[in-house]
């Protein structure tokens, strides 16, 4: 609860909403299942942001390639090159139900919300490593574009270095998610306990990925222009 809300509640004589505490009663099961779609939506927002950032770069690259032989083929190749990097983020959709089920099982077995929410962190575990590995394949697919740069090997090495920014972005966002999930007992509702952490996670990750991809593509465009 924010400071402004607490001040308003004090002035109006309202008591703060009670926290849900550490328990995980059987009554949580139905609402927990309803939360699967919400968690999935956050993952889809990340994937959409990756695509959007890349496609903005496609427009910039198109201008840099204008008039060159096979420019349309190269632009299409640029668009297709995103697939390996995008795949780990798209795969979150496939993993969400399993992660949520694991959380429900652990919460139900322990009767505690801690094991339930901690299980949800597994959804994004290793995402940074997967995104970095995907980026390497993306750069490989960009080879026909990189070959047309004034210094192809330098341009290729420069693009490969950006895998670190993608990995760091995912790792930093994962740390936010883990920290926010740990605050579950202090949340006002089960809904808040699950959705707030994932909202903060996607906001952090989208912002960092947009920056990383924009910087990488602009560098590529600069090298293409020579």
């Amino acid at each position: 609860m924010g400071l402004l809300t607490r001040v308003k509640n004090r002035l109006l004589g309202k008591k703060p909403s009670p926290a849900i505490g550490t328990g995980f009663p059987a009554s949580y099961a139905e609402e927990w299942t309803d939360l699967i779609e919400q968690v999935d939506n956050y993952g889809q927002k990340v994937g959409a942001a990756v695509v959007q950032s890349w496609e903005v770069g496609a427009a910039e690259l198109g201008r840099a390639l204008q008039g060159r032989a096979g420019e349309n083929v190269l632009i299409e190749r640029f668009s297709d090159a995103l697939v390996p990097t995008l795949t780990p983020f798209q795969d979150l959709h496939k993993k969400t139900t399993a992660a949520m089920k694991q959380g429900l099982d652990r919460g139900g077995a322990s009767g505690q919300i801690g094991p339930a929410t901690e299980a949800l962190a597994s959804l994004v575990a290793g995402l940074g490593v997967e995104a970095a590995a995907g980026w390497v394949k993306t750069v490989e697919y960009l080879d026909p574009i990189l070959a047309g740069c004034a210094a192809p090997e330098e341009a290729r090495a420069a693009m490969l270095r950006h895998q670190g920014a993608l990995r760091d972005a995912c790792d930093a966002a994962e740390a936010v998610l883990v920290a926010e999930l740990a605050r579950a007992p202090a949340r006002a509702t089960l809904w808040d306990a699950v959705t707030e952490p994932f909202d903060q996670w996607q906001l952090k990750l989208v912002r960092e990925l947009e920056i990383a991809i924009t910087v990488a593509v602009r560098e590529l465009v600069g090298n293409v222009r020579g």
Side-chain angles (χ1 to χ4, degrees):
M1 183 183 298
L3 175 61
L4 182 59
T5 300
R6 289 198 297 270
V7 171
K8 286 182 177 179
N9 286 344
R10 189 177 298 115
L11 292 174
L12 295 174
K14 294 181 179 179
K15 294 182 179 180
S17 300
I20 58 175
T22 59
F24 195 90
S27 59
Y28 278 2
E30 183 176 354
E31 185 175 3
W32 188 270
T33 301
D34 291 339
L35 283 163
I36 294 175
E37 183 178 356
Q38 298 302 316
V39 173
D40 184 40
N41 285 340
Y42 290 119
Q44 291 186 41
K45 287 181 180 179
V46 174
V50 171
V51 172
Q52 184 176 12
S53 298
W54 192 255
E55 290 306 316
V56 169
E60 295 181 10
L61 182 63
R63 288 189 288 272
L65 291 170
Q66 194 167 13
R68 299 193 187 187
E71 63 175 284
N72 291 334
V73 173
L74 292 176
I75 289 298
E76 183 176 352
R77 192 168 187 89
F78 175 83
S79 293
D80 293 342
L82 179 63
V83 173
T85 298
L86 179 62
T87 297
F89 301 105
Q90 291 182 321
D91 285 348
L92 293 174
H93 172 69
K94 304 173 186 176
K95 299 176 180 178
T96 297
T97 299
M100 291 293 290
K101 183 179 185 304
Q102 183 181 60
L104 180 60
D105 290 344
R106 290 185 180 182
S110 65
Q112 298 292 306
I113 195 167
T117 53
E118 286 169 9
L120 301 187
S122 67
L123 179 60
V124 303
L127 186 59
V129 173
E130 294 173 3
W135 185 258
V136 173
K137 295 179 180 178
T138 289
V139 174
E140 290 175 356
Y141 203 77
L142 289 173
D143 193 64
I145 298 173
L146 294 165
C149 296
E153 290 306 316
E154 291 179 14
R156 185 176 295 107
M159 283 296 284
L160 283 172
R161 283 194 292 270
H162 291 288
Q163 65 178 296
L166 295 180
R167 183 179 59 251
D168 291 346
C170 294
D171 291 348
E174 180 180 353
V176 169
L177 178 64
V178 171
E180 291 297 321
L181 286 171
R183 296 180 56 215
R187 303 286 187 184
T189 65
L190 178 63
W191 187 274
D192 292 338
V194 174
T195 61
E196 281 295 325
F198 277 98
D199 187 35
Q200 293 302 313
W201 165 79
Q202 68 88 15
L203 287 172
K204 173 72 172 177
L205 187 51
V206 164
R207 181 169 58 252
E208 297 298 328
L209 288 177
E210 286 177 342
I211 293 172
I213 292 173
T214 297
V215 170
V217 173
R218 285 181 177 172
E219 185 173 36
L220 172 64
V221 170
N223 285 326
V224 168
R225 286 177 176 154

